[in-house]
Amino acid sequence: MAEDRGRKDAHQAPVDPLRQIEIDDFRRDRLLAALSLIVGASFCLALPFALKAGAEFFLPLTAAIVISIALVPPLEWLERRRVPSGLAAFLSLAGFVAIVNAALAIIVLPATGWFARIPESIPRIQSNLAPLIDFYSSLQKFVDRTLTSVATGTEATAQAVAAQAPSSVIDYFISAAPAAAIQLFFAVLVIFFFLAGWTRLRRGTIRRRGSFDGALQTARVIQNVVDATADYLATITMINAILGLVVALLLWALGMPSPFMWGGIVSICNFVPYLGPIVAATLLGLGGLMTFDAVGFALLPALIFIGVHLVEANLVTPLVLGKRLTINPLLILVSLSFWGWVWGTPGALLAVPLLLILQTILASTGTPDLAGFLFEHGTLTTAEEVRDRLNRTKEESDG
């Protein structure tokens, strides 16, 4: 039996060293792929909970990065005119803060007065809705109990708000939400330092690539992300501003109080696709019920907005954006639900810009080789390394 085993081993061909190298590399790649899949899945599962738990840090940081990317074009425009980077960053940030402060002042300050009028407007709302509520007796009882509790519980709060109405948006944030004021200050600092060091950051990122092709691809990805984000936010902001202005003028002609406040609310809500217009129409319906006596006339503000929004969503926005910045509606809904769950309303406002940034990066780098873009030669692809080792082994065997 020992002789048969020796005879069998003698007939076996020796293992080719090149073949053994390929087998070892294949096994290593399979192991790396499995480990990377496990680590990646764990990271994807833990990331949403980490973002939600650390919202006080991640939310202002993410919002600041998105806003900074959108402000890169005006920053570069100033730098091309030989404005120092620090001054250009300050001017870009100051212009953005001034516009946001003016827009919020149009909304926040009048909204405080509307909130103070809620107790005195409850009888009018109830009388307007009475013909509809009569069909649902159980709902009528529930509304009566709710309105009574609201009328008795919010009157003192409304009087306190009316007595201490803020005179500016800064006073509003400081008095009502000190934590929000701290996060706002943190976001402003991040935006300034991001813009001030943008040119050096981009140049250093490109130069750190180990090859010319890698540097060229990095420059292209950065430019595509900046162009897509800035174009989308600028275009959507312009469309929403015009939408809000048109709605405000129509409400002013209708006799609605604070028409520009409602126009501002419409503009902000329209940044959130699908859900934002529903919220805006609901608020306009409530405002109409608080203002007008007849229920048919009270619903006109909401109907006016719905009509204008349908024209904007089906004609103006597709005509202006075209096919450059189109996003799958299913992806938008998924992004809205995800970021809305993680960060609430601010997350819903950031959902589309974040989705656009991710989509631009994947389109520029290629979805199968995102790791290859980050590490230039990839983490799992070792074809060049295998060929080099095979060539070296062959040369040593020939020599």
Side-chain angles (χ1 to χ4, degrees):
M1 183 179 297
E3 295 178 356
D4 294 340
R5 183 180 302 174
R7 193 179 304 108
K8 183 178 180 181
D9 294 338
H11 287 291
Q12 289 181 348
V15 179
D16 187 2
L18 300 182
R19 177 61 178 170
Q20 186 63 41
I21 292 175
E22 292 179 351
I23 294 174
D24 293 341
D25 288 333
F26 177 75
R27 291 174 177 174
R28 183 185 64 178
D29 290 346
R30 292 292 297 271
L31 177 60
L32 288 175
L35 293 176
S36 299
L37 181 61
I38 295 173
V39 173
S42 303
F43 176 79
C44 292
L45 290 175
L47 180 62
F49 298 96
L51 293 175
K52 189 173 184 179
E56 294 183 354
F57 171 77
F58 290 112
L59 175 57
L61 178 63
T62 305
I65 292 176
V66 173
I67 294 172
S68 300
I69 294 175
L71 292 178
V72 166
L75 172 78
E76 294 178 341
W77 184 85
L78 291 173
E79 289 182 342
R80 285 195 297 268
R81 281 148 184 81
R82 301 186 182 280
V83 178
S85 298
L87 181 58
F90 176 78
L91 293 176
S92 302
L93 179 59
F96 172 77
V97 171
I99 294 174
V100 171
N101 187 74
L104 291 181
I106 296 175
I107 300 173
V108 174
L109 302 182
T112 305
W114 279 83
F115 178 77
R117 290 174 48 197
I118 289 179
E120 65 184 35
S121 301
I122 288 178
R124 175 176 291 176
I125 297 175
Q126 189 175 15
S127 63
N128 285 334
L129 295 179
L132 301 177
I133 299 177
D134 287 341
F135 291 100
Y136 308 95
S137 57
S138 59
L139 181 60
Q140 175 69 63
K141 295 178 182 179
F142 172 76
V143 170
D144 288 341
R145 292 194 301 267
T146 303
L147 293 179
T148 302
S149 62
V150 171
T152 57
T154 61
E155 185 173 1
T157 304
Q159 292 176 355
V161 172
Q164 301 176 358
S167 58
S168 66
V169 177
I170 297 177
D171 293 339
Y172 175 82
F173 278 108
I174 292 177
S175 61
I182 295 175
Q183 294 178 6
L184 180 64
F185 179 71
F186 170 71
V188 169
L189 289 180
V190 172
I191 294 173
F192 173 76
F193 288 112
F194 184 95
L195 293 176
W198 166 252
T199 302
R200 295 190 300 272
L201 177 64
R202 182 181 60 180
R203 186 181 298 117
T205 303
I206 295 174
R207 288 179 176 177
R208 278 194 294 269
R209 308 301 284 185
S211 62
F212 177 78
D213 292 338
L216 187 63
Q217 187 179 18
T218 302
R220 183 171 62 251
V221 171
I222 293 175
Q223 193 62 43
N224 289 343
V225 169
V226 170
D227 291 343
T229 306
D231 290 348
Y232 174 80
L233 291 179
T235 305
I236 290 298
T237 301
M238 179 187 66
I239 292 175
N240 293 343
I242 295 176
L243 174 68
L245 180 61
V246 171
V247 172
L249 293 177
L250 292 176
L251 294 180
W252 172 78
L254 188 64
M256 186 86 167
S258 306
F260 291 100
M261 179 200 75
W262 292 110
I265 292 175
V266 165
S267 299
I268 293 179
C269 290
N270 208 48
F271 277 99
V272 181
Y274 309 124
L275 302 179
I278 297 176
V279 174
T282 303
L283 294 176
L284 281 171
L286 180 61
L289 292 173
M290 293 174 58
T291 304
F292 304 106
D293 294 328
V295 62
F297 203 70
L299 295 179
L300 276 180
L303 295 177
I304 288 174
F305 163 71
I306 292 174
V308 177
H309 171 69
L310 289 176
V311 175
E312 173 266 326
N314 295 282
L315 181 62
V316 177
T317 299
L319 183 64
V320 174
L321 290 180
K323 297 182 178 180
R324 297 178 298 112
L325 301 173
T326 55
I327 305 176
N328 191 325
L330 179 61
L331 294 179
I332 293 178
L333 289 177
V334 172
S335 182
L336 284 174
S337 61
F338 175 78
W339 293 110
W341 168 69
V342 173
W343 290 332
T345 302
L349 291 173
L350 293 171
V352 177
L354 291 175
L355 177 61
L356 181 65
I357 291 175
L358 179 61
Q359 179 178 278
T360 304
I361 293 176
L362 293 179
S364 301
T365 61
T367 51
D369 199 26
L370 178 60
F373 164 72
L374 295 176
F375 301 99
E376 292 200 64
H377 296 299
T379 55
L380 304 179
T381 54
T382 58
E384 295 181 0
E385 180 182 355
V386 170
R387 281 196 295 268
D388 291 341
R389 292 175 60 182
L390 291 174
N391 292 332
R392 286 197 302 268
T393 305
K394 185 177 181 180
E395 290 175 358
E396 291 174 359
S397 62
D398 294 340

